[in-house]
Amino acid sequence: MDYLWTLLFFAIGACVGSFLNVIADRLPRGGSIVSPPSHCESCGRQLRAKDNIPIISYLYLKGRCRYCGAAIPQRIFWVEIATAALFAFIFWYYGFSHLLPVMIVYGSIFIVLTVTDLEHRLLPNKIVYPAIAIALAVALASQFLHLHLLPNLKSAAIGGAVGFIFLLVPALISRGMGWGDVKLAAFIGLATGFPLVLLALFLSIISGGLVAAALLLLKIKGRKDAIPFGPFLALGTLVTLLWGNNILAWLGLG
């Protein structure tokens, strides 16, 4: 039965991933996520239901528009796959616990922010601010409803302040850090709490540094080329949310 539920969450994740693609496409351009209906960006034809089945339609159409033959961005497919896999893993890891919906929401937020940062160098306020509100609501529920969610209110508040200040300083003295990263770090601190926010930021910096070094060595990027930090903040935070306490215990800091 657990396998069936995991498969169901995979399917749900694929559908959510399709919607996250819409958000990532339209919000950075100031468009509505409700209208117009899904359509081909090349020919403008509205997509029919059979053209809009997550993952399956992309494979069946071989990554091409049914009507004009234009290439469908591969990102559409990979976001659907990534979201589906993440949802299935989160269910497998947490089961039907209070943390299940929290982690699904956080995972969805980080996926769409990763896409917008990679493609537009943008972490939209219309995503980050609601994320901050959600993290505060989770902390309040943990504190007053005794749901044993991630951080309690005090830990979340300290974590949010630490995350904000930690990236505020480099943003003030360097052009390499954007204000979107600073606000995202505040959300990360609220979501992880203190001291896990420090681990999340540390993992983000290490992973970002390693990837940047690899891109430089392979001459894919130059020294003056900007590399978005949002995806690494997302990765470091997800790892921390899942295994942060275990990592701190392994390091002898828990």
Side-chain angles (χ1 to χ4, degrees), residues 1 11 21 37 45 47 60 62 73 79 82 89 93 118 120 148 173 181 205 212-213 218 221 249:
M1 184 60 70
N21 275 315
R45 287 284 297 272
L47 302 181
Y60 177 76
K62 298 180 181 179
V79 167
F89 175 79
Y93 192 80
L118 286 173
H120 303 282
H148 303 292
I173 63 177
D181 296 316
I205 293 169
L218 296 173
K221 293 282 188 179

Side-chain angles (χ1 to χ4, degrees), residues 122-140:
L122 184 65
L123 298 168
N125 289 335
K126 290 182 178 180
I127 300 173
V128 176
Y129 287 160
I132 289 173
I134 291 170
L136 280 171
V138 170
L140 286 168

Side-chain angles (χ1 to χ4, degrees), residues 184-196:
L184 179 56
F187 161 64
I188 289 169
L190 289 168
T192 58
F194 184 84
L196 285 178

Side-chain angles (χ1 to χ4, degrees), residues 132-147:
I132 289 173
I134 291 170
L136 280 171
V138 170
L140 286 168
S142 181
Q143 180 77 33
F144 297 109
L145 299 181
H146 307 291
L147 294 180

Side-chain angles (χ1 to χ4, degrees), residues 21 41 43 51 64 89 97-98 131 138 151 173-174 200 216 233 244:
N21 275 315
E41 293 291 339
C43 67
D51 302 324
R64 297 278 175 181
F89 175 79
S97 71
H98 292 122
V138 170
I173 63 177
S174 170
L216 287 172
L233 287 170

